[in-house]
Amino acid sequence: MSIGKRIREIRKTLHLTAAELAEELCIPVRTIGSYERSEAQPGPKFLNALIDKFCVNINWLLSGKGNMFISQKTETDLNYAAKLQVKMNLSPEELAGLMEILDSDASRDMVLKFIEIKKGNKDALDSLIYNLQGIKAVYG
């Protein structure tokens, strides 16, 4: 399912017309239509607005994984993800990939090892190399 279809599904689940959703988010109704028809990709500002206003799970919106809506507790975390998208100029697909990586314990551990390496921790470098060799052995 495309991101446009997921936007439409959110709108329908909230029992809103395109005009009502546009009004809630202070954007033109034609913008909602272009997103739903996949004629345009939503940007970080729109994604943030959905998160803030309706507690939409950005991971579900971008990848279809997880629940459509999130609890207030994880909303803050996903706001940081949307800010990261802006700062790193990530496409919605790249952000979804990053979120998926950080959701995986093994991948998150590897990212944390990169951080430790940057701090000068040589043991983390050895551990990362060992892990990468294992991945290479498995996937060729």
Side-chain angles (χ1 to χ4, degrees):
M1 178 187 308
S2 71
I3 190 169
K5 288 182 181 177
R6 286 190 289 275
I7 291 169
R8 181 181 172 96
E9 189 172 335
I10 290 167
R11 181 175 60 77
K12 295 286 187 180
T13 300
L14 294 170
H15 306 290
L16 297 173
T17 65
E20 291 168 333
L21 181 60
E23 184 177 328
E24 287 284 337
L25 300 177
C26 300
I27 62 172
V29 68
R30 68 184 177 277
T31 302
I32 299 294
S34 68
Y35 292 160
E36 289 185 359
R37 291 186 302 275
S38 298
E39 295 171 354
Q41 289 292 315
K45 188 174 181 179
F46 176 81
L47 298 175
N48 273 325
L50 277 177
I51 290 168
D52 291 341
K53 190 75 173 181
F54 302 110
C55 295
V56 170
N57 179 345
I58 195 169
N59 195 33
W60 178 86
L61 181 60
L62 298 175
S63 69
K65 295 179 182 173
N67 296 320
M68 184 184 299
F69 299 101
I70 57 172
S71 69
Q72 292 294 332
K73 185 175 181 182
T74 52
E75 180 180 359
T76 302
D77 296 335
L78 294 175
N79 276 330
Y80 287 120
K83 289 176 186 175
L84 183 63
Q85 180 184 24
V86 172
K87 185 173 182 167
M88 295 182 67
N89 194 27
L90 299 171
S91 71
E93 293 79 18
E94 291 168 332
L95 180 60
L98 181 59
M99 297 287 287
E100 202 170 313
I101 286 170
L102 295 176
D103 258 355
S104 159
D105 289 338
S107 297
R108 187 174 46 255
D109 287 345
M110 291 184 74
V111 170
L112 293 174
K113 285 178 184 161
F114 275 110
I115 293 169
E116 287 299 313
I117 291 165
K118 188 174 181 186
K119 292 178 184 176
N121 182 339
K122 294 184 191 243
D123 291 334
L125 178 60
D126 292 337
S127 178
L128 181 63
I129 290 170
Y130 179 77
N131 286 345
L132 291 172
Q133 288 171 336
I135 291 170
K136 184 177 179 183
V138 171
Y139 295 104

